[in-house]
Amino acid sequence: MVTQYSMKRGWTEFLEANKKAILERWLDCALALFPEKMGYSTPIGTVFSGALEKILSSLGKRENDCKEALDDVTRILAVQNFPPSKALSIFLEPKLILHDIMMKTTVADTLMQEAFNSRLDALTLEAFDSYMRHREKIYQLKVEEGSRRMYMALRRAEA
Amino acid sequence: MSKYAPKLSELKKEFDEKPSVLKGDYSAQEWWDRPVEFRDGNWCFPGKQEVLADLGFANPRKWAATDEDWQLPADWQKTISEGLQSRLKKYRSLKLFLDSCVRCGACADKCHFFLGTGDPKNMPVLRAELLRSVYRNDFPLVEKILKGFSGSRKLTKAVIKEWHMYFNQCTECRRCSVFCPFGIDTAEITMLVRELLNLIGVNNNWILAPVSNCNRTGNHLGIEPHTFVQNINSLVEDIGDLTGVEVEPTFNRKGAEVLFITPSGDVFGDPGVYTMMGYLLLFHHIGLDYTISTYASEGGNFGMFTSNDMMKKLNAKMYHEAKRLGVKWLLGGECGHMWRVVHQYMNTMNGPADFLEVPVSPITGTRFSNAAATKMVHIAEFTADLIHHKKLKLDPKRNDHLRTTFHDSCNVARGMGMFEEPRSILRNVCNSFHEMAEDTIREKTFCCGSGSGLNAEEYMDIRMRGGFPRANAVKQVKDRHKVNSLVTICAIDRASLPPLMNYWNPGVSVYGLHELVGNALVMQGEKKRTTDLRENTMAGFEDGGDDDE
């Protein structure tokens, strides 16, 4: 218990201390997914920047409270021209970023890194669920649009 | 030389290393080296053979954008080349737009498709360059003067595919033109390229089928006169059930003062039909002497997305009908591109409509001299004028269940400069109205992402991308002011914003402006109203006992 407590505490502090650096690089990677790197002040840049920050903060907490932020990101990714594998790769990116930072700044803490990686893996799978929900929504919209367009015809047919 | 001037080596370094509008991150490649890839979701189904045959359009065949061979006619290069040359002679504006761009890039990040996709070819400057590069190659003098600098290229089949991809990722909304220091109208470049593509049978069924239907039966869905009348009559019954008032529209009535024309989406689609109910209530409220035509039964004009000749033909039928019925002037419903056609092209295409009178409101006496040439008044102007003269009895509390924001439709805002009239109406018919961010409304409004005939179901992915900047602006007012209603004055908006909101901002519904007018109108002889025109309960009227009236 004592070990776990100190690990958690060390982890939160580490994340807090390096949040800005991680976020900067992570956001850069995410925006570079687009054919022409997306600008920070564009609508997508703004949404990504807010959402990635929330996701990163939630990684330091016991409770996962980043569902909405995750949805905001995957909702954008799910309608882009690149495949799901490329879209969701942004959730694996922090592993590399964290590795680099650890190599440079602190003594490498494998336990902490493993914990971080497993949180990210879980997050990536959640992102996959969310991505799929948005894809399904697209198909649902197509069906709904068809009936709205034929509203009066359908109404007469049902009467 | 000034000591402050940058050194040549610095300039070279900057040019080589800095990503630029045209280079993007692909400095090793020319932009046209990157091939387009068609796959499901990023192309619209092509025009059906029978549709093309009906219209007498070129090259009817069965094909798909994903095919390697698009079965272009044998002399397609000649057709395009001669087509471009003849249009350059006909439209001086086109020549100016092609020659005057200095690639400053002011337009680059203003396009909703670029902001939603990050694809450099969606920068308006580069989209136009897709045509300019061919134009330069085809015209030796330009190439000679600008040798090695002009960025010209040969017209190949790959170019045609690229045109089809990117000129169908432009909704002709003209937001880029607002920021262009030369005023280049990129929408007209898109219109022109689509016209050229139609010459060789590269097309979009979602545009051509409505054109063909409109050409034959008078409206986009091909609804025949008796069904058109039945549809409106069943809305009349709904109005009777909801309000206890019997409105009495007339059809094809000669000698009426006003011919009312609205997009046919208002007659058959949800939520357009509720807007139609609003119009009918309004006309009854003021006792307007009007008629509806079952022949000119469409305000929209998909000819604008096809060719100049087709736009002219479809526009002409409204005026033929006005002449046949002997009305004094035209009143037009909530539509987008219909107003660009009427306001900017009608007068030189089919006008001036000398056989009509300059519109004068029979209720207020206001003379609409702004419509002196076209004789057609926008319903928002007409209603705003009625409200300004206090001719309407309104109870805005009846819209208290709606917290609204207003989406400026591109063609009404940028195409005819109408910003205040709809806002003035909205402020008078509801109590909760919150503007979206300043750089996303009025002349800087973001398109719904589905305009210019792109709201095909198979195109949903791209529509969601293109509509994201608009949706994002709505989300901000939703989060900040609990906005739940997006009000608009365009039929394509009413069709395309519901899925856009459903995807990006679930919980926000889409309304036509005159639907809210219809909710708020206190009609003579009406019964206690507890629900709005959609049969949703109105806040504060649940018991039916809280109405002032």
Side-chain angles (χ1 to χ4, degrees):
Chain A
M1 283 306 284
V2 175
T3 325
Q4 271 181 8
Y5 172 74
S6 62
M7 188 197 86
K8 165 116 179 50
R9 197 185 147 117
W11 161 237
T12 311
E13 278 165 7
F14 174 82
L15 204 59
E16 207 47 52
N18 293 286
K19 194 169 158 186
K20 195 163 168 280
I22 299 175
L23 199 61
E24 234 165 58
R25 273 189 59 186
W26 194 15
L27 185 60
D28 267 345
C29 293
L31 296 177
L33 276 177
F34 297 86
E36 173 92 13
K37 190 183 165 191
M38 199 55 87
Y40 299 101
S41 57
T42 60
I44 289 183
T46 323
V47 171
F48 270 19
S49 140
L52 295 187
E53 184 176 2
K54 275 183 202 150
I55 294 171
L56 196 61
S57 303
S58 84
L59 285 174
K61 296 174 192 161
R62 193 172 291 270
E63 294 301 318
N64 186 355
D65 60 355
C66 65
K67 190 178 172 304
E68 202 181 319
L70 209 54
D71 272 347
D72 288 345
V73 174
T74 55
R75 198 179 283 120
I76 290 172
L77 296 174
V79 289
Q80 291 302 326
N81 206 20
F82 32 84
S85 53
K86 185 177 170 190
L88 295 178
S89 69
I90 68 164
F91 294 101
L92 301 174
E93 209 63 51
K95 286 187 186 177
L96 296 174
I97 300 171
L98 187 83
H99 180 77
D100 280 1
I101 291 176
M102 279 195 164
M103 296 300 276
K104 278 182 207 153
T105 55
T106 60
V107 277
D109 182 338
T110 42
L111 207 57
M112 190 194 283
Q113 208 170 341
E114 269 173 30
F116 182 72
N117 287 352
S118 73
R119 283 299 292 273
L120 271 180
D121 289 342
L123 193 76
T124 309
L125 293 174
E126 269 176 63
F128 179 70
D129 285 348
S130 170
Y131 183 98
M132 284 312 295
R133 271 200 302 278
H134 295 308
R135 288 306 312 163
E136 281 162 20
K137 181 90 172 214
I138 290 288
Y139 293 101
Q140 194 191 336
L141 293 178
K142 292 184 188 186
V143 175
E144 286 170 7
E145 184 167 79
S147 6
R148 256 204 315 278
R149 204 168 279 158
M150 305 292 291
Y151 174 70
M152 290 305 279
L154 292 171
R155 207 171 86 162
R156 265 210 312 279
E158 283 162 11
Chain B
M1 188 188 270
S2 161
K3 62 178 179 176
Y4 299 109
K7 291 190 181 74
L8 191 63
S9 57
E10 286 170 9
L11 279 176
K12 188 176 180 315
K13 189 167 182 284
E14 175 159 339
F15 184 79
D16 286 344
E17 291 177 8
K18 193 178 166 191
S20 73
V21 167
L22 292 180
K23 275 192 312 181
D25 284 341
Y26 307 91
S27 44
Q29 285 178 317
E30 291 292 354
W31 53 265
W32 57 65
D33 288 338
R34 299 175 53 230
V36 295
E37 188 195 346
F38 286 97
R39 57 167 171 268
D40 286 352
N42 76 1
W43 57 285
C44 293
F45 297 149
K48 287 183 184 165
Q49 296 179 70
E50 60 270 26
V51 167
L52 265 68
D54 277 352
L55 289 168
F57 274 25
N59 201 12
R61 69 206 181 283
K62 202 168 160 41
W63 69 288
T66 42
D67 294 347
E68 180 61 32
D69 178 10
W70 283 13
Q71 307 166 57
L72 301 181
D75 56 350
W76 68 271
Q77 269 163 313
K78 189 162 168 269
T79 307
I80 296 280
S81 189
E82 289 177 0
L84 180 58
Q85 293 201 39
S86 70
R87 281 160 184 80
L88 282 163
K89 280 190 195 127
K90 192 173 171 190
Y91 309 118
R92 179 144 178 77
S93 54
L94 175 66
K95 202 161 165 30
L96 271 170
F97 295 159
L98 289 179
D99 284 337
S100 61
C101 174
V102 294
R103 303 180 185 82
C104 69
C107 60
D109 60 351
K110 308 303 185 295
C111 172
H112 53 289
F113 274 112
F114 176 65
L115 289 173
T117 62
D119 188 334
K121 287 182 194 172
N122 274 329
M123 295 175 182
V125 53
L126 200 37
R127 196 189 323 277
E129 203 66 19
L130 303 180
L131 175 65
R132 277 196 196 102
S133 54
V134 170
Y135 159 71
R136 286 192 204 102
N137 193 57
D138 266 14
F139 294 84
L141 186 64
V142 186
E143 170 63 10
K144 211 169 165 182
I145 297 166
L146 299 169
K147 200 161 183 59
F149 186 69
S150 71
S152 65
R153 61 172 172 172
K154 286 207 159 30
L155 180 61
T156 61
K157 285 183 180 172
V159 169
I160 296 297
K161 290 188 175 182
E162 197 177 42
W163 282 5
H164 189 50
M165 170 76 93
Y166 290 101
F167 288 103
N168 280 302
Q169 284 187 55
C170 165
T171 47
E172 305 181 3
C173 81
R174 294 167 81 233
R175 188 171 192 265
C176 49
S177 304
V178 171
F179 297 89
C180 175
F182 290 91
I184 294 173
D185 188 340
T186 312
E188 287 199 356
I189 293 182
T190 295
M191 287 159 75
L192 193 279
V193 174
R194 290 197 194 173
E195 181 168 332
L196 290 176
L197 288 174
N198 268 304
L199 297 176
I200 56 170
V202 176
N203 47 34
N204 168 352
N205 197 60
W206 216 90
I207 296 174
L208 290 187
V211 167
S212 170
N213 284 335
C214 210
N215 187 46
R216 192 181 60 248
T217 45
N219 57 65
H220 287 167
L221 213 66
I223 298 176
E224 295 183 353
H226 58 286
T227 315
F228 191 80
V229 172
Q230 273 174 8
N231 270 4
I232 294 181
N233 281 341
S234 66
L235 297 177
V236 168
E237 280 173 29
D238 286 359
I239 291 173
D241 292 345
L242 286 167
T243 67
V245 176
E246 193 175 334
V247 299
E248 292 165 329
T250 62
F251 300 92
N252 307 321
R253 178 166 58 89
K254 289 191 176 174
E257 182 174 0
V258 175
L259 171 62
F260 177 63
I261 299 179
T262 197
S264 61
D266 290 350
V267 179
F268 57 75
D270 172 10
V273 289
Y274 306 113
T275 307
M276 187 73 195
M277 289 161 80
Y279 303 142
L280 296 174
L281 280 164
L282 173 74
F283 300 156
H284 185 85
H285 189 84
I286 58 172
L288 187 70
D289 177 15
Y290 75 107
T291 193
I292 295 170
S293 165
T294 57
Y295 161 66
S297 50
E298 177 63 67
N301 186 336
F302 275 28
M304 182 180 160
F305 316 136
T306 309
S307 72
N308 184 63
D309 289 344
M310 194 43 81
M311 166 165 69
K312 179 178 175 171
K313 185 178 181 188
L314 298 183
N315 172 260
K317 77 173 190 268
M318 306 200 302
Y319 288 89
H320 286 159
E321 189 64 339
K323 198 171 197 172
R324 185 179 76 88
L325 296 174
V327 300
K328 287 184 182 164
W329 52 279
L330 294 155
L331 181 60
E334 296 181 10
C335 183
H337 66 276
M338 152 173 143
W339 287 105
R340 174 143 206 223
V341 176
V342 170
H343 189 74
Q344 298 199 345
Y345 301 125
M346 182 274 162
N347 196 31
T348 49
M349 282 190 313
N350 293 315
D354 289 337
F355 56 92
L356 296 169
E357 293 177 14
V358 176
V360 174
S361 170
I363 317 300
T364 66
T366 299
R367 186 182 155 90
F368 293 96
S369 50
N370 57 324
T374 64
K375 315 290 196 293
M376 187 156 189
V377 174
H378 191 291
I379 186 126
E381 286 175 301
F382 182 72
T383 307
D385 174 63
L386 290 170
I387 293 176
H388 179 73
H389 287 95
K390 304 195 179 353
K391 299 291 182 189
L392 301 184
K393 203 169 175 192
L394 295 164
D395 182 3
K397 286 209 302 290
R398 291 182 180 179
N399 283 313
D400 275 358
H401 57 309
L402 309 178
R403 299 180 62 83
T404 69
T405 189
F406 182 69
H407 163 70
D408 289 272
S409 309
C410 308
N411 283 297
V412 179
R414 283 188 283 267
M416 66 187 301
M418 185 187 287
F419 309 116
E420 295 310 324
E421 289 85 346
R423 287 178 166 80
S424 155
I425 296 172
L426 196 50
R427 286 194 187 95
N428 279 284
V429 298
C430 76
N431 290 317
S432 168
F433 165 44
H434 298 278
E435 290 277 20
M436 287 181 265
E438 191 269 333
D439 61 343
T440 71
I441 55 170
R442 298 178 196 265
E443 72 274 23
K444 292 181 218 156
T445 185
F446 272 119
C447 179
C448 61
S450 304
S452 79
L454 299 185
N455 49 331
E457 279 145 37
E458 68 272 16
Y459 216 47
M460 193 62 85
D461 286 32
I462 287 195
R463 291 167 50 194
M464 291 301 116
R465 277 178 230 164
F468 173 67
R470 167 44 76 222
N472 193 50
V474 175
K475 186 171 191 300
Q476 287 170 359
V477 283
K478 181 184 179 234
D479 293 347
R480 206 168 296 151
H481 303 292
K482 301 193 176 76
V483 161
N484 60 13
S485 309
L486 179 57
V487 181
T488 182
I489 48 170
C490 164
I492 288 184
D493 284 332
R494 281 193 285 280
S496 69
L497 288 173
L500 191 77
M501 288 303 109
N502 202 344
Y503 186 74
W504 296 105
N505 304 316
V508 176
S509 303
V510 177
Y511 290 81
L513 179 61
H514 278 76
E515 180 181 345
L516 270 66
V517 172
N519 285 342
L521 273 176
V522 179
M523 305 292 290
Q524 196 175 8
E526 70 177 12
K527 64 181 188 188
K528 287 282 180 197
R529 285 166 70 174
T530 55
T531 62
D532 65 9
L533 295 177
R534 295 185 186 193
E535 299 182 43
N536 289 332
T537 309
M538 302 192 291
F541 293 81
E542 292 87 346
D543 304 323
D546 199 24
D547 198 336
D548 288 342
E549 300 305 312

